[in-house]
């Protein structure tokens, strides 16, 4: 089955600790994304990557870091600099289609991070 | 910049009622438009999409028509079921510029038997 997997589903972290969220896709998609979702709000983009070894900041990148060493993997690190990290984190990917046409993004099941 | 405004919830309907969730947008260029659905504790699933003006997206009894003249993409279903209870997000991506999906704030729908 092709899809996007995120692990773990639930994650607890003590204040001051860094934590890394995993995102893997076997859809052969070029682009991958990280979003943050807070209750009653839409999704906000943290980082995205359109190609291996390259990524761009989204709207709320402060306190987060990413890497894209392989096409299928795009891990997100929530650092101790992120002031309010408790949230639901969603990873997504998409394929690069015809020039000028942007395609839908496919989402993973999410990781719920709670800072204790 | 791009923005999506959708009907605030929560929305509560009886089973078999008609559903409309309004969505309007502001965008540069010619965006592609999407409706996503999120069930409790899960990620988002694409419900339907439309990539150009007057296109109608449809899936599982849901429909939405891309109206460029009113910059709208309202979601409709003729007869809702309890299993349709979820949060619905309207979103757009511009076909020019960066790859960012812009989301509305979501509308929580509850269907009562």
């Amino acid at each position: 089955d092709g899809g996007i997997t995120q692990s773990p589903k639930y994650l607890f972290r003590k204040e001051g600790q860094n934590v890394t969220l995993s995102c893997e896709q076997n859809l052969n998609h070029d682009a991958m994304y990280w979003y943050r979702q807070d209750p009653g709000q839409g999704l906000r983009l943290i980082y995205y990557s359109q190609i291996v070894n390259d990524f761009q900041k989204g709207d709320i990148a402060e306190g987060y870091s990413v890497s894209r060493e392989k096409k299928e993997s795009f891990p997100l690190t929530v650092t101790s600099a992120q002031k309010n990290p408790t949230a639901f984190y969603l990873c997504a990917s998409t394929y690069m289609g015809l020039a000028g046409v942007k395609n839908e993004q496919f989402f993973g099941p999410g990781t719920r991070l709670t800072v204790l | 910049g791009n923005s999506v405004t959708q009907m605030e919830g929560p929305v509560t309907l009886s089973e078999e009622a008609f559903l409309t969730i309004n969505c309007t947008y502001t965008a540069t260029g010619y965006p592609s438009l999407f409706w996503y659905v999120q069930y409790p504790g899960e990620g988002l699933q694409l419900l339907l999409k439309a990539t150009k003006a007057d296109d109608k997206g449809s899936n599982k009894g849901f429909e939405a028509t891309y109206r460029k003249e009113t910059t709208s993409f309202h979601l409709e279903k003729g007869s809702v079921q309890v299993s349709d209870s979820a949060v619905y997000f309207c979103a757009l991506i511009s076909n020019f510029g960066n790859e960012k999906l812009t989301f509305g704030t979501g509308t929580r729908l509850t269907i009562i038997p």
Side-chain angles (χ1 to χ4, degrees), chain B:
Chain B
N2 298 337
S3 68
V4 174
T5 302
Q6 65 179 99
M7 180 175 173
E8 288 194 17
V11 174
T12 302
L13 295 172
S14 298
E15 205 166 17
E16 299 183 4
F18 185 86
L19 168 71
T20 300
I21 300 178
N22 290 337
C23 172
T24 57
Y25 67 89
T26 303
T28 54
Y30 304 95
S32 294
L33 302 174
F34 308 93
W35 276 100
Y36 282 89
V37 59
Q38 185 178 34
Y39 298 100
E42 298 184 10
L44 275 67
Q45 301 174 26
L46 179 68
L47 181 59
L48 52 85
K49 68 176 182 179
T51 58
K52 61 183 187 297
D54 299 326
D55 268 3
K56 178 186 282 189
S58 61
N59 186 26
K60 299 181 181 179
F62 290 91
E63 292 183 340
T65 301
Y66 189 141
R67 301 283 188 203
K68 192 169 187 299
E69 63 277 13
T70 55
T71 62
S72 65
F73 193 55
H74 305 321
L75 182 68
E76 296 182 335
K77 186 174 185 182
S79 176
V80 293
Q81 305 301 313
V82 172
S83 57
D84 293 327
S85 299
V87 180
Y88 292 81
F89 291 93
C90 185
L92 71 82
I93 190 165
S94 176
N95 285 324
F96 296 91
N98 65 35
E99 300 287 323
K100 193 175 95 165
L101 251 182
T102 300
F103 286 89
T105 53
T107 301
R108 181 175 299 278
L109 174 67
T110 302
I111 307 301
I112 300 171

Side-chain angles (χ1 to χ4, degrees), chain A residues 35-104:
Chain A
Y35 293 91
R36 171 181 171 137
Q37 186 178 25
D38 294 285
Q41 297 189 32
L43 279 68
R44 293 183 289 168
L45 182 64
I46 304 172
Y47 268 99
Y48 65 102
S49 167
Q50 295 180 282
I51 195 170
V52 173
N53 293 324
D54 188 42
F55 46 82
Q56 287 77 41
K57 292 182 179 180
D59 299 320
I60 56 165
E62 186 175 349
Y64 300 97
S65 66
V66 293
S67 63
R68 187 87 186 277
E69 297 177 2
K70 299 185 295 183
K71 186 176 183 179
E72 58 270 23
S73 179
F74 191 41
L76 173 75
T77 297
V78 184
T79 75
S80 57
Q82 168 50 234
K83 290 183 172 35
N84 185 19
T86 294
F88 190 48
Y89 290 88
L90 288 160
C91 179
S93 69
T94 193
Y95 52 101
M96 307 298 283
L98 296 172
V101 177
K102 303 293 170 60
N103 300 299
E104 65 270 25

